[in-house]
Every structure is written in C-alpha cells, then in structure tokens.
Amino acid sequence: MTAPDPNVAAQAAPDPNVAAQAAPDPNVAAQAAPDPNVAAQAAPDPNVAGQAAPEADLSGWTAAPFTAAGYTHDVYRKGDGPGVVLIPEMPGIHPGVLALGNHLVDNGFTVACPSLYGTPGAPPVRPGMVPVMLRGCVAKEFAAFATNADRPVAQYLRALARDLNDKTPGKGVGVIGECWSGGFALAAAVDDSVLAPVLSQPSLPIGLTAKHRRDPGLSEAELKIVEQRVVDEGLCALGLRFSEDPLSPGARFKTLKQRLGDAFEVIEIDSKKGNEHGFGKRAHSVLTLELREEEGHPAYEARKRVVEFLRERLV
C-alpha cells in the first residue's frame, strides 16, 4: 500500500548519459503520444525536477523488544525531547519512514518506531513486499477488513505511548499513524498520555464497501472516549490525505469531522487531474513517498504543520 504513485512523474533526475533521452525523432512512429495509463510517462513538474522523496537508514537508531497486550515487537528509538510514537506504513520501517523519524528527531523529539511488520530499513517496493501485506491482511492484530473494530494493535500502541511518556519530558506524547496504521493513531488517543494524534492517509478498514469507507478506523467505544476527551480536555487530532486517494477515502474523514468537529484538523492535498504539483490520482503517502524537500510543496508544508502541531500539544 505504500508503492509510489505510478502517475507521479519520474521521481529522480534522468541520467544525462542515457542516449535514449535525446530529442525524439518525429519520423519514428513508436514515438506517438504516450499511453496515459503507462507508469512514469507523465511530464515532470518543472519546479521539482530532479528531486526525490527523502530517505534515511538505521544509523543512530537503537532497537529493543517491547511487549504489551500479548504482542512483542522491536521498537526503534532515537532522539531527545518530548515523545512521538511513529507507526510505520505498510510494508514497514522503510527509508522514507526513517527520514520522517530523523526529521522529528532534528526538531527536538524522541521517536519510538515499532516494527509491526516487514524488514526495518528495507525499501518499500521490493519482492518481499507482497507477502508482508498479505500477512497484514489476515492478522487478527490489525483486523484489516473489520468495521467498528477494537484492534489488538491499538492496545499495544497505547502501552507503548505510556512507556514513552514515562521516559520523556513534555506534557504527553504524540502518535503518528500512516496508511495502514493511520487510524491506529486515533485509537491510541483513548489513553490520556496521547495528546497529539496524527492520522496520515488512514487506510483501514480496507474500503471494500461504502460502509468500510465511512468507518472511522476504530471502534465506536474507542471513538466515544476520544469524543469525551475532546470535550473534557481539548484533545485535537490532525488528518492528512490526498483528495483523490482511493486507499484513504474522503468518506472516512467526513465521518471523523462529523464526530470530532473543529477538533479534527484536516489537510487535504489536491491530487485532481491537472493539479499544480503533478500528483497523480493515486498519490497516497503524504509524509514519505510523495514528499519533496521544497518550500511550498504541499507535502512539505503538511510535514511542517505536523511538527507545529506536535510542538503546540506537547511542549
């Protein structure tokens, strides 16, 4: 579910030494207008040409197992300051997730990133990606197809948030969920240690039906607790998605907005056809694969708002 959007134009600068990149011969029939359905044929945005999404490796991260709610996962930690639980997107702690973690560390946070699936440090698109995703689909821990689900992974993450809160300064902790794990961040906010949940393109339950697409990604009982925290404590949540993302349906954000009102801040990035920044209709990963390190780039600005939100709530 984190594969880069095939419609977003080549995300690295072309090799000037490749002869095939010379001007096309107008007499060659094969060079007719490209098929819009063929990946990577869209014209690159001239303002972001040559850039790629930020990536990092495991340098400086320490890992140790953490057990709670009957599950044990290695948790990768780095940094000093208020705590943020960074839940990786599927298929795991890939270089884009690590770059996001490093960015949070550079901005003064302690990051704890649980390895819930996949191989830490491995690229998101690789031969082993599909088996990881298939296991995630059938694992009871994630209940990928269930509506109104009290997912076991949420209990694990609440325990991790409490542990991180006990070990770090600040008013409480933040939790960032992405894609597969997007809704887990709000479910974690059932625990009062969590003061800053961030839902980036939440994708569970998988949107098979309208009911699935409307589902907020946590159980009714959990959502009622979050609603009460909004009233009693002023809890707020931040949600991010691309406007045309089929994996993170707009109906889900509509449900959350209806339930949480102004306490649910939404950043929706335009990915309609012809959008200014060249995002394809399948653009998905706001804080990782679609992000470019350029002022004014919508995903870059969304990441800035995430850091501001964390500071506002935790410092």
Side-chain angles (χ1 to χ4, degrees):
M1 294 170 64
T2 62
D5 180 1
N7 295 313
V8 174
Q11 295 177 348
D15 183 349
N17 298 315
V18 178
Q21 293 176 350
D25 181 352
N27 299 314
V28 178
Q31 292 176 350
D35 180 351
N37 297 314
V38 177
Q41 288 187 345
D45 181 342
N47 297 315
V48 249
Q51 293 190 12
E55 295 186 342
D57 58 25
L58 290 165
S59 298
W61 293 83
T62 60
F66 180 80
T67 300
Y71 295 93
T72 299
H73 299 289
D74 282 342
V75 175
Y76 288 75
R77 300 179 190 252
K78 190 175 185 179
D80 294 296
V84 178
V85 176
L86 175 59
I87 320 169
E89 57 195 357
M90 187 64 75
I93 306 176
H94 62 71
V97 173
L98 290 167
L100 175 58
N102 284 348
H103 182 76
L104 295 171
V105 169
D106 291 343
N107 278 275
F109 297 99
T110 300
V111 178
C113 188
S115 181
L116 302 178
Y117 27 72
T119 302
V125 181
R126 61 185 191 276
M129 176 184 71
V130 173
V132 172
M133 294 177 68
L134 291 176
R135 284 194 295 273
C137 286
V138 299
K140 179 182 178 182
E141 186 177 7
F142 308 122
F145 298 97
T147 58
N148 188 28
D150 186 344
R151 293 176 170 83
V153 67
Q155 299 174 37
Y156 176 89
L157 293 169
R158 290 194 282 265
L160 179 58
R162 288 192 297 272
D163 177 76
L164 184 61
N165 188 43
D166 289 342
K167 296 175 179 176
T168 54
K171 301 173 184 177
V173 300
V175 180
I176 301 174
E178 310 169 86
C179 176
W180 190 266
S181 68
F184 302 168
L186 194 59
V190 166
D191 192 273
D192 59 12
S193 67
V194 178
L195 300 184
V198 178
L199 295 69
S200 190
Q201 72 274 0
S203 305
L204 293 188
I206 294 171
L208 300 178
T209 67
K211 182 179 179 181
H212 286 85
R213 292 188 288 274
R214 290 192 305 267
D215 189 273
L218 66 168
S219 70
E220 179 64 18
E222 289 171 321
L223 186 52
K224 284 183 176 179
I225 294 173
V226 171
E227 285 180 311
Q228 196 60 49
R229 290 195 65 200
V230 167
V231 173
D232 294 343
E233 305 169 32
L235 179 72
C236 292
L238 175 62
L240 319 171
R241 69 179 293 272
F242 284 97
S243 65
E244 309 307 301
D245 184 1
L247 298 177
S248 181
R252 182 160 298 143
F253 272 29
K254 184 177 181 180
T255 296
L256 290 169
K257 193 67 175 175
Q258 288 171 341
R259 297 293 296 268
L260 303 180
D262 291 342
F264 184 50
E265 178 184 344
V266 175
I267 296 175
E268 187 172 79
I269 298 174
D270 181 16
S271 57
K272 294 184 179 70
K273 185 177 180 180
N275 68 84
E276 177 185 355
H277 293 273
F279 294 116
K281 64 182 179 181
R282 296 182 185 276
H284 180 62
S285 298
V286 176
L287 298 175
T288 57
L289 300 177
E290 302 293 349
L291 190 142
R292 300 294 178 270
E293 296 281 4
E294 180 182 88
E295 290 284 348
H297 186 274
Y300 179 89
E301 296 301 319
R303 189 184 65 181
K304 284 172 63 175
R305 176 58 191 138
V306 168
V307 172
E308 290 172 356
F309 178 72
L310 294 171
R311 284 182 175 148
E312 289 167 2
R313 310 301 296 182
L314 306 180
V315 177

